[in-house]
Amino acid sequence: SKGRVLVELDSSEIRNKLNRQEISVSDAAAALAQSKGALDIQLNQNASDVRKADLDVRFARLDLDKYLGASVAGRVVTSEGADGRRVLPEVKSLADDAALEGEALQQTRKLKSEIDLADEEVSRARDKLAGTERLLAKGFVSQDELVADRLAQKRQEIALEQARTALALFVAYEFPKQVERLASDLLEAEETLGRVRKQAQSAQSQAEADLKGKEEKLRLEKDQFDLLQRQAAACTIRAKNAGLVVYASSIDNNDYRDGQPIQAGTAVREREAIISIPDPKRMGVKVNVHESALDKVKLGHCLLYTSDAADEE
């Protein structure tokens, strides 16, 4: 009848492999999910790192602009050497640049103002000392007052020299030091941003490659699982239509089995014929008749043959 099991091969080993392969597929799927999560985390981390590095560049540029003004600061960080790398120009001359702005200009003005004030104080001290000398000559003031005015003039002259020295030190040392520090911070921040972007791209490429490898691994494991499923299903042969089948060894000249039919539990070889579908129009029966019954058989007699398989059916 249709759907009846004709042959069932032992599939225990294949099913054991199938169970193990199912675990392998599950492990590969879990690894793929983990790889996808790792890629998402890496992309978020890359965005965060690049954003922070970019912010450091912006802050460093603002600090330099704040100190020099945007115009002068722009000239400082765009200078290039013979090898194409950016270098700092001679920064001392920038203190007298007409385009100088920001904190540096404010500090320069303050130091120059202190010089002007100290110079004015020196002039006043000199005028006062001159007046005291005239009054002393006329006897209107004492010698002590003259000494005090001379000391006052000396103090103002020292203050003037200190103010001039403060400006000179600022122009020669403090100003270039601060400019180079801020410019170096900006260049370093920009180089760091470049490195962070490259590292982010490299990490992303590695994560994507790992994800691709995990996807390929899962595909191969599924293919192997599907193959084992097909092999397990192929161990059972069912009738597609109602009809008659016989053991292949019972009708074929099979030296391997010495003409004996296949029995339950018998090992079979690859590509070995197991069953055959006989053609009823060409079927025949070979019957051995004992010599004692030969006189009962005549040419043209009919024969009724009943097989054991038919009895079992």
Side-chain angles (χ1 to χ4, degrees):
S1 61
K2 182 179 180 180
R4 183 174 182 177
V5 176
L6 302 178
V7 177
E8 186 172 6
L9 302 177
D10 183 10
S11 61
S12 58
E13 182 177 354
I14 294 178
R15 295 196 177 278
N16 287 335
K17 292 181 179 180
L18 189 60
N19 292 333
R20 292 194 295 269
Q21 190 60 32
E22 186 175 8
I23 296 175
S24 298
V25 171
S26 179
D27 291 342
L32 176 60
Q34 183 178 7
S35 183
K36 288 181 178 178
L39 177 59
D40 291 338
I41 293 173
Q42 188 63 59
L43 292 176
N44 291 334
Q45 184 63 48
N46 289 349
S48 177
D49 293 343
V50 171
R51 185 166 55 250
K52 181 181 181 301
D54 184 66
L55 194 62
D56 290 341
V57 171
R58 292 173 56 191
F59 286 166
R61 182 175 289 112
L62 288 174
D63 288 341
L64 186 61
D65 290 349
K66 178 183 177 183
Y67 190 72
L68 294 176
S71 177
V72 176
R75 297 203 306 271
V76 167
V77 295
T78 55
S79 301
E80 293 186 356
D83 58 356
R85 299 181 62 184
R86 291 194 295 178
V87 297
L88 296 178
E90 180 60 41
V91 297
K92 289 184 179 180
S93 60
L94 298 177
D96 296 325
D97 196 302
L100 183 66
E101 297 177 345
E103 293 179 348
L105 178 60
Q106 184 179 7
Q107 183 67 16
T108 301
R109 286 174 176 173
K110 178 182 178 182
L111 293 174
K112 288 181 178 180
S113 176
E114 290 177 354
I115 292 175
D116 293 339
L117 290 175
D119 188 57
E120 181 65 24
E121 291 295 334
V122 169
S123 297
R124 292 179 60 184
R126 286 175 179 172
D127 291 343
K128 184 177 181 182
L129 178 59
T132 301
E133 289 176 344
R134 289 194 296 272
L135 292 175
L136 180 62
K138 296 178 181 180
F140 294 126
V141 296
S142 64
Q143 186 67 31
D144 291 341
E145 290 182 80
L146 179 64
V147 173
D149 288 345
R150 285 177 177 173
L151 291 175
Q153 178 184 338
K154 189 66 174 177
R155 282 195 296 269
Q156 295 303 324
E157 289 174 348
I158 293 174
L160 176 60
E161 290 300 320
Q162 289 176 339
R164 289 173 176 169
T165 301
L167 177 61
L169 290 174
F170 174 75
V171 172
Y173 301 105
E174 294 299 327
F175 175 76
K177 176 182 177 181
Q178 184 69 354
V179 171
E180 291 185 12
R181 185 183 69 80
L182 294 174
S184 178
D185 289 345
L186 176 56
L187 295 179
E188 181 63 29
E190 290 176 342
E191 291 176 357
T192 299
L193 175 59
R195 288 195 299 270
V196 168
R197 284 175 174 168
K198 290 181 180 179
Q199 291 170 355
Q201 183 60 44
S202 176
Q204 179 180 341
S205 298
Q206 291 179 358
E208 290 175 345
D210 181 72
L211 176 62
K212 186 176 181 180
K214 294 297 192 302
E215 290 175 340
E216 182 65 16
K217 174 68 173 177
L218 178 59
R219 185 188 67 79
L220 294 175
E221 296 292 356
K222 284 184 175 179
D223 289 346
Q224 182 64 20
F225 181 77
D226 293 341
L227 175 62
L228 290 173
Q229 279 188 319
R230 292 194 298 271
Q231 289 178 345
C235 288
T236 301
I237 303 175
R238 297 179 180 273
K240 295 184 178 181
N241 297 292
L244 177 66
V245 296
V246 296
Y247 291 118
S249 59
S250 67
I251 61 174
D252 295 341
N253 186 10
N254 193 331
D255 295 336
Y256 174 63
R257 300 199 176 279
D258 195 21
Q260 298 300 318
I262 296 176
Q263 303 294 324
T266 302
V268 294
R269 290 182 174 183
E270 183 179 0
R271 300 185 181 278
E272 179 183 352
I274 300 176
I275 57 175
S276 295
I277 302 177
D279 185 355
K281 297 180 180 180
R282 303 178 60 184
M283 290 179 64
V285 178
K286 180 179 180 182
V287 180
N288 294 322
V289 180
H290 195 271
E291 60 182 4
S292 63
L294 288 177
D295 57 347
K296 298 179 180 180
V297 180
K298 301 296 182 181
L299 184 64
H301 280 186
C302 293
L303 174 67
L304 177 62
Y305 173 76
T306 303
S307 68
D308 294 339
D311 293 339
E312 294 176 359
E313 187 72 24

